[in-house]
Amino acid sequence: MNRLLVLLTLLSSLSPAPSLRAVTNTVTMQNFSFSPSVLTNKVGDTVRWVNQGGSHDIESTGVFKSPSPPVSSYSFVFNQAGTFNYRCNPHVGFGMTGRITVQAAANTSPTVSITSP
């Protein structure tokens, strides 16, 4: 019984592998561009847009939309896989667009090894 308790305590203290943790990626907005303008994320990751100068907003039609410009920063969590094109509405005519590709996270089961009874 003590070994089972020790094993359960050990398992409950383990954190997920780094590849399974959600991350936040930052995209800067400056002049008439997003940097980076193309980004790949995993489901559950967040993208945070940060304005470094100018009157910008961020919109992906039907998916997300920041408040009206000027936006100092805006974050969105991507909970589904797919490709999401976005733009800055005031500057789309200057080519201020971007794309986020969101990949489904690998579905892996945890493993446990018991080395003695």
Side-chain angles (χ1 to χ4, degrees):
M1 187 67 168
N2 280 343
R3 289 183 183 165
L4 179 59
L5 182 58
V6 169
L7 179 60
L8 291 174
T9 303
L10 176 64
L11 289 175
S12 68
S13 68
L14 296 176
S15 61
S19 63
L20 299 178
R21 293 185 188 146
V23 298
T24 298
N25 291 301
T26 300
V27 174
T28 58
M29 303 177 284
Q30 189 170 22
N31 299 321
F32 303 114
S33 65
F34 294 106
S35 181
S37 61
V38 176
L39 188 62
T40 301
N41 274 3
K42 295 202 180 316
V43 169
D45 287 352
T46 299
V47 174
R48 181 173 183 249
W49 289 267
V50 178
N51 190 346
Q52 294 188 335
S55 184
H56 304 295
D57 69 355
I58 308 98
E59 181 177 5
S60 180
T61 304
V63 181
F64 58 85
K65 183 175 182 177
S66 70
S68 297
V71 171
S72 60
S73 70
Y74 176 74
S75 296
F76 185 80
V77 178
F78 288 86
N79 289 318
Q80 66 180 40
T83 299
F84 305 92
N85 296 309
Y86 65 93
R87 67 188 172 278
C88 170
N89 289 308
H91 302 117
V92 71
F94 294 100
M96 193 168 181
T97 61
R99 182 177 64 242
I100 310 273
T101 301
V102 180
Q103 301 171 338
N107 190 8
T108 57
S109 300
T111 59
V112 176
S113 297
I114 299 176
T115 57
S116 65

